[in-house]
Amino acid sequence: MNKFQRVRSIIWGILMITFSIGMIIFPNDGYIFMTMFISIFLLMLGVKKIGYYFSMARHMVGGKKILFEGVILLDFGIFTCALSDLPKIYVVLYLLGCNGFAGIANVLKGMEAKKLGAPSWKLSTSQGAVSLMLAVFSLIFVKKTNVFVYMYCLGVIYSGIIRIITAFRKTAIIYIQ
């Protein structure tokens, strides 16, 4: 990570923690804010990946994968934005599914990093395990929207802290001779 990436990661982590605390303070508005925040984030990430594809990735091996990821993220962002009119239970189940999927992906990423001998496997596995546990606990309280907002905010705060910790970790530089 270069210095700009570290600063950007720290700023994102602080923003995640700040917005989560705001949603905890106002849990009734937190539901709407949460869906809008996620949809805007997915839309921005999708546009970023599509822009990266057209600027550089189309000339790379595996560039189409980046285009497909961008289109899928853009679709999920539009879909999440459209969910704000539906009853809360559908949005809660959708967000639980996304959170559970992200947790499974992080656990698998950590297991793969452990096989490769990377030192960051513990951090990735713990982040995935916490996401999965929060998704399961949130599924228990699926009818109570305020409790779901609190659980979701705890997961976002944890992710923000992990993002800040990752920004301060030293990265290995590999020299090829």
Side-chain angles (χ1 to χ4, degrees):
M1 247 189 228
N2 61 25
K3 289 180 183 178
F4 177 72
Q5 290 172 332
R6 289 181 194 276
V7 170
R8 186 177 60 188
S9 183
I10 291 169
I11 290 172
W12 267 107
I14 292 170
L15 284 174
M16 290 169 71
I17 293 169
T18 305
F19 286 134
S20 295
I21 290 171
M23 288 191 315
I24 288 173
I25 292 171
F26 304 107
N28 293 331
D29 298 330
Y31 161 77
I32 295 167
F33 183 71
M34 184 172 42
T35 56
M36 288 301 124
F37 176 73
I38 291 171
S39 65
I40 289 170
F41 177 74
L42 289 172
L43 287 170
M44 286 181 5
L45 195 59
V47 168
K48 178 182 170 187
K49 287 212 179 233
I50 291 172
Y52 177 67
Y53 169 78
F54 285 114
S55 65
M56 283 189 69
R58 65 181 172 181
H59 304 296
M60 296 171 21
V61 174
K64 284 186 182 179
K65 179 184 158 234
I66 293 172
L67 175 66
F68 295 147
E69 286 175 3
V71 170
I72 289 171
L73 287 170
L74 195 65
D75 286 344
F76 274 128
I78 293 169
F79 179 69
T80 306
C81 188
L83 284 177
S84 62
D85 296 336
L86 292 177
K88 290 181 180 181
I89 188 73
Y90 296 123
V91 179
V92 167
L93 290 174
Y94 168 72
L95 292 175
L96 281 176
C98 290
N99 205 12
F101 180 75
I104 291 171
N106 277 341
V107 168
L108 292 175
K109 184 174 113 177
M111 290 170 51
E112 184 69 24
K114 183 179 180 183
K115 285 180 188 175
L116 296 174
S120 63
W121 72 271
K122 294 176 187 174
L123 198 60
S124 181
T125 305
S126 69
Q127 186 177 8
V130 168
S131 291
L132 277 173
M133 287 189 321
L134 286 175
V136 169
F137 288 138
S138 296
L139 190 60
I140 294 170
F141 301 108
V142 75
K143 295 282 186 181
K144 300 175 182 174
T145 310
N146 288 350
V147 175
F148 173 73
V149 170
Y150 296 144
M151 298 293 264
Y152 191 80
C153 288
L154 287 176
V156 173
I157 288 172
Y158 183 73
S159 295
I161 291 169
I162 294 294
R163 184 177 286 267
I164 292 170
I165 290 171
T166 305
F168 284 113
R169 294 183 84 180
K170 287 190 173 189
T171 54
I173 299 173
I174 300 172
Y175 293 102
I176 301 173
Q177 295 185 12

